[in-house]
Amino acid sequence: MGISGYEAFLLITVAPMFLGIRPLRQLMAKYRGVFHLFSLIGVASYAFQDPAYRLSLTAIGLAISTMTWTATWFEARAHVGSLERSILIWGIGLVLHNVVKMAWWTENPIWPIMHEANGGRNMIGIILGVVAAIEVIIRDINSPSSHIEHDLAPASPGQVTENSSWLMASCGFGAVLFALHSMYSDSSTIMRWTVDGYPNYGPEPVPWGVATIAALGLGLWISSMRRITTSMAWYAVGCIACAIFYCSAGWNAYYGGLVLGFYLMSIMPATVRAITTHPPFKTLFTGFMVYNVLCLAHVWVVAYEFVPGGVYARERTNWILVTLMLLIGCGILNAHKQATMDSQFKKMAQLHIIKTARTLTRVAIISSVIASAVIATNRVISAVTPAPYRPAEKSFTAAIWTIHFALDNDMWASEIRMRDAIRDLELDVVGLLESDTMRIIMGNRDWAQFIAEDLGYYVDYGPSSMKHTWGCLMLSKFPILQSEHHLLPSPDGELACAIHATLDVYGQPVDFIVSHNGQEENPEDRRQQTTELARIMRTSTNPFVFLGYVVTKPKQPNYYILFDDGDMNDIDPTDWDRWCEYIGYRGLRRIGYARVSHGKITDTEIQTGKFQVVDNPRDFWKASYERIDESQVPAALQYPSMFRGSGIRGHRYHVFNEPRYFVH
């Protein structure tokens, strides 16, 4: 973690400010199809293996694309019909983006982190982009400048409205852009921002993502009712929805999120329209800087430990949301004035274009909702039913793995490779750390959906994204009876997360903890966090498995706090070569212990333990550390042989170069 310098690419979004150069703006609007074609360099960046090259080309493509869209809007500002059509197309793009991501388990198959090996369809995206750009080029040639010039109305609607404020328009546009990007660029984001422990877990991404997509579509549907959508009464509805979204959890928060998404999409066209009536340079620069500042704040609430001045942003999502709604309120006050003026010219302003655009938008919305419903139905039907790997032996394999946001060491999406490792190790319960990817910088991805459906797991997402941690997640083959999400004591450093869940393991309630303690720079934080974990484990009467990232060497004070004060057994006290990941247990028969290399999916190994449920847990409360040879272990209880030697796909038994087995 830390600032690398590549964060500066965020500022590429202010490139539209150069549209203050009128000849450049007119050129990009006139030849918009050509510039859309050029912007595909961002999609084509996947062809480069070097992440820095991919990032650079993606940034260039983004700059060209944002400049092309905004140039089109500004050059059509005096032509209400052409402008509205362009804005509606842009809005439909967001809805379709959500549909595509639902089909690809929250990945977009043409992103630069995707390629053929991990499910990408980059070349198809390039081909579709080329076809669309050529269609625009041909259309503009056949109807020269129809999208920016021909109109029955005079230029009046494009002029600055009396008492209109370019600053308020910019603030509103930047805030709406950030809100839609951060919370509604995936249909499951608002669910993961508000998820709670079982049984009040909240909605599942499938099928309830369909409702999110429908809310966004319906918001765009009513966006033409500008006098209503830019009213203060409608703004109050948005503010109340935002408050419910933040202050609640589970289903209630999701309902608030649905209304908020509906509201934001309904005002988006009005906020875009409002900026086009002002000078491009200062309006676009300010609007996109508002977006950038909110993006940084959105990350700094979690990354405060690694950025200058981060202490002031610590856990301040509430400040971000309040600021967001205030900025939107400024934009709405300004947009209402513009909507009033535009309504005076609606009888003259390209009514045929407006009617056609709105009709096609409604068709696209209905089609998108239907497509998302079909996709969700197919995913529900195709999902594998969770079942343990070794039910006859009443055994299970548990593991802990830090997966660094499901991006491998070369910055490719890694969930397919993670799935293969989890499947081949026959992991029944796995704790995955640094798992929260529901932020702009991580693409608003929920990669766990893919693994859970493909292999058959129940998912506990862990503390929600609004709890300001890097995430800890649990996949379980066993039903989750109940779970509680903890924010461990963190007076100085980054917040530490934990899941305490009770699973139905072959009819026996077994407790599990998945946790991620803070970094070594904050020893007092780690001491308090470990003490709290020990308290949770000590007060439970059930058999227990601990899967955690502790940040201590064996036999150090925090080690003894965890295992002795927590009334737990270290899976192997003779393993001195540990620093981060630890496994503990009690009330179960421990079969074996193995450490498996990461295979360049991350920089952290997979630690695993094999256990067996027993009828008399109290007799197994304390461990026997007597080791036995693998030949004394029934074949069904042995670790897979494929990881011996050089292993498979870069994963192999390491440190001991083989599993270790025990009496219990």
Side-chain angles (χ1 to χ4, degrees):
M1 298 296 180
I3 294 178
S4 65
Y6 289 112
E7 295 83 1
F9 275 117
L10 175 64
L11 296 177
I12 202 71
T13 56
V14 301
M17 71 180 182
F18 293 112
L19 297 178
I21 304 171
R22 186 173 182 179
L24 175 62
R25 182 175 74 247
Q26 292 176 332
L27 178 69
M28 296 193 77
K30 184 176 181 180
Y31 299 104
R32 55 183 180 152
V34 175
F35 284 99
H36 280 309
L37 192 63
F38 290 161
S39 72
L40 294 176
I41 190 174
V43 181
S45 65
Y46 85 99
F48 291 84
Q49 292 295 316
D50 189 323
Y53 286 149
R54 271 184 279 145
L55 176 60
S56 301
L57 291 175
T58 300
I60 293 171
L62 175 63
I64 296 172
S65 182
T66 53
M67 290 180 71
T68 305
W69 277 104
T70 49
T72 302
W73 295 339
F74 270 79
E75 285 303 291
R77 58 183 168 177
H79 315 291
V80 176
S82 298
L83 176 59
E84 179 163 337
R85 179 177 60 189
S86 181
I87 297 171
L88 289 174
I89 291 171
W90 196 62
I92 284 294
L94 176 60
V95 176
L96 290 176
H97 173 72
N98 276 271
V99 175
V100 170
K101 288 188 71 182
M102 177 183 281
W104 263 266
W105 294 273
T106 76
E107 298 283 7
N108 188 315
I110 65 171
W111 273 346
I113 61 170
M114 304 295 289
H115 55 174
E116 187 175 358
N118 66 3
R121 296 293 183 271
N122 310 75
M123 186 53 67
I124 293 177
I126 292 172
I127 292 171
L128 291 175
V130 169
V131 170
I134 291 175
E135 189 277 333
V136 172
I137 292 170
I138 293 173
R139 176 151 43 92
D140 288 349
I141 290 174
N142 292 334
S143 302
S145 302
S146 64
H147 59 290
I148 60 173
E149 290 182 3
H150 294 298
D151 191 358
L152 295 176
S156 300
Q159 303 305 315
V160 178
T161 308
E162 186 178 357
N163 298 324
S164 178
S165 166
W166 69 268
L167 182 59
M168 294 174 70
S170 298
C171 290
F173 170 74
V176 170
L177 179 62
F178 166 77
L180 290 174
H181 191 181
S182 61
M183 293 183 279
Y184 298 98
S185 55
D186 186 84
S187 60
S188 59
T189 301
I190 56 174
M191 304 176 203
R192 295 321 195 192
W193 274 38
T194 57
V195 68
D196 205 357
Y198 283 84
N200 183 35
Y201 188 66
E204 292 289 351
V206 171
W208 291 102
V210 178
T212 306
I213 292 170
L216 295 177
L218 289 174
L220 193 61
W221 188 306
I222 71 162
S223 64
S224 59
M225 305 175 186
R226 300 286 172 84
R227 300 294 291 274
I228 296 175
T229 61
T230 60
S231 67
M232 284 296 100
W234 190 235
Y235 172 67
V237 170
C239 289
I240 293 170
C242 186
I244 294 172
F245 176 64
Y246 176 76
C247 297
S248 304
W251 280 101
N252 289 337
Y254 177 63
Y255 296 143
L258 283 181
V259 176
L260 180 59
F262 177 66
Y263 169 75
L264 290 170
M265 281 297 275
S266 74
I267 65 170
M268 182 274 292
T271 58
V272 174
R273 167 60 174 156
I275 63 170
T276 64
T277 64
H278 297 284
F281 176 80
K282 62 181 181 181
T283 305
L284 291 173
F285 173 77
T286 304
F288 280 102
M289 280 305 297
V290 166
Y291 164 81
N292 287 340
V293 170
L294 288 171
C295 283
L296 290 173
H298 163 71
V299 177
W300 283 20
V301 294
V302 181
Y304 53 82
E305 183 74 358
F306 309 101
V307 295
V311 64
Y312 302 108
R314 174 174 172 156
E315 303 178 70
R316 298 301 186 186
T317 290
N318 54 340
W319 288 11
I320 294 176
L321 291 177
V322 169
T323 302
L324 179 73
M325 296 310 296
L326 288 175
L327 292 173
I328 289 174
C330 291
I332 289 304
L333 279 172
N334 186 77
H336 185 71
K337 301 172 186 176
Q338 187 64 49
T340 302
M341 170 172 269
D342 285 347
S343 66
Q344 298 171 4
F345 292 87
K346 65 182 180 180
K347 293 183 179 180
M348 296 185 290
Q350 295 182 302
L351 284 182
H352 63 292
I353 294 179
I354 292 176
K355 289 180 178 179
T356 301
R358 291 176 182 174
T359 299
L360 292 177
T361 296
R362 289 162 185 166
V363 170
I365 290 169
I366 293 170
S367 301
S368 298
V369 173
I370 292 173
S372 66
V374 171
I375 291 166
T377 301
N378 180 65
R379 282 181 53 180
V380 169
I381 293 172
S382 302
V384 175
T385 301
Y389 284 103
R390 302 290 176 178
E393 291 76 20
K394 288 191 174 182
S395 70
F396 65 90
T397 304
I400 182 70
W401 193 11
T402 305
I403 49 86
H404 289 192
F405 310 108
L407 292 172
D408 69 18
N409 294 354
D410 295 314
M411 296 301 288
W412 299 110
S414 61
E415 55 263 43
I416 288 182
R417 297 176 63 199
M418 289 166 53
R419 174 207 60 188
D420 294 343
I422 290 170
R423 177 197 62 213
D424 294 341
L425 282 167
E426 297 185 353
L427 303 182
D428 297 284
V429 181
V430 56
L432 299 169
L433 307 180
E434 295 180 6
S435 57
D436 189 353
T437 47
M438 279 299 180
R439 295 191 181 276
I440 287 176
I441 57 170
M442 299 300 173
N444 281 348
R445 300 149 54 231
D446 184 8
W447 46 269
Q449 294 180 32
F450 169 73
I451 298 176
E453 292 177 25
D454 198 65
L455 297 182
Y457 283 98
Y458 300 99
V459 180
D460 190 319
Y461 193 79
S464 72
S465 298
M466 281 202 286
K467 298 298 184 182
H468 314 103
T469 77
W470 295 117
C472 55
L473 180 148
M474 174 186 287
L475 298 176
S476 170
K477 290 283 187 178
F478 304 103
I480 303 172
L481 299 177
Q482 64 180 29
S483 67
E484 186 175 358
H485 300 161
H486 294 267
L487 296 182
L488 301 175
S490 305
D492 296 319
E494 59 183 336
L495 292 186
C497 56
I499 301 171
H500 175 205
T502 302
L503 309 184
D504 180 359
V505 183
Y506 305 116
Q508 169 77 262
V510 178
D511 283 11
F512 286 77
I513 276 183
V514 175
S515 70
H516 189 324
N517 284 17
Q519 53 190 346
E520 63 177 310
E521 289 84 355
N522 303 107
E524 178 59 21
D525 281 26
R526 290 186 289 113
R527 186 192 68 79
Q528 292 189 29
Q529 291 158 7
T530 307
T531 301
E532 176 63 10
L533 290 171
R535 183 198 65 79
I536 295 170
M537 294 186 290
R538 183 176 62 250
T539 54
S540 171
T541 59
N542 292 330
F544 217 119
V545 176
F546 171 80
L547 306 168
Y549 189 104
V550 185
V551 194
T552 187
K553 293 180 179 179
K555 313 301 182 182
Q556 296 295 311
N558 283 344
Y559 173 91
Y560 290 114
I561 292 174
L562 182 71
F563 290 109
D564 292 351
D565 293 358
D567 193 20
M568 297 286 283
N569 305 296
D570 184 0
I571 195 167
D572 186 359
T574 67
D575 182 6
W576 59 269
D577 188 21
R578 288 175 293 174
W579 168 244
C580 296
E581 297 174 343
Y582 284 82
I583 297 177
Y585 77 101
R586 69 163 183 248
L588 299 162
R589 178 171 178 260
R590 172 197 44 184
I591 300 167
Y593 169 54
R595 298 174 63 174
V596 181
S597 59
H598 52 68
K600 296 185 178 179
I601 293 176
T602 168
D603 63 359
T604 310
E605 67 175 0
I606 312 169
Q607 282 193 19
T608 76
K610 274 188 176 290
F611 303 94
Q612 198 169 33
V613 172
V614 294
D615 295 329
N616 48 342
R618 277 289 169 184
D619 294 344
F620 291 81
W621 218 251
K622 293 299 180 182
S624 164
Y625 289 106
E626 180 183 350
R627 287 171 52 188
I628 59 177
D629 190 81
E630 186 175 66
S631 60
Q632 298 176 261
V633 179
L637 297 178
Q638 295 177 10
Y639 275 96
S641 61
M642 70 176 73
F643 294 97
R644 289 185 175 274
S646 59
I648 181 171
R649 296 185 304 276
H651 299 290
R652 62 180 181 85
Y653 298 124
H654 73 155
V655 182
F656 322 126
N657 299 321
E658 62 180 2
R660 288 181 171 179
Y661 296 95
F662 302 84
V663 171
H664 72 77

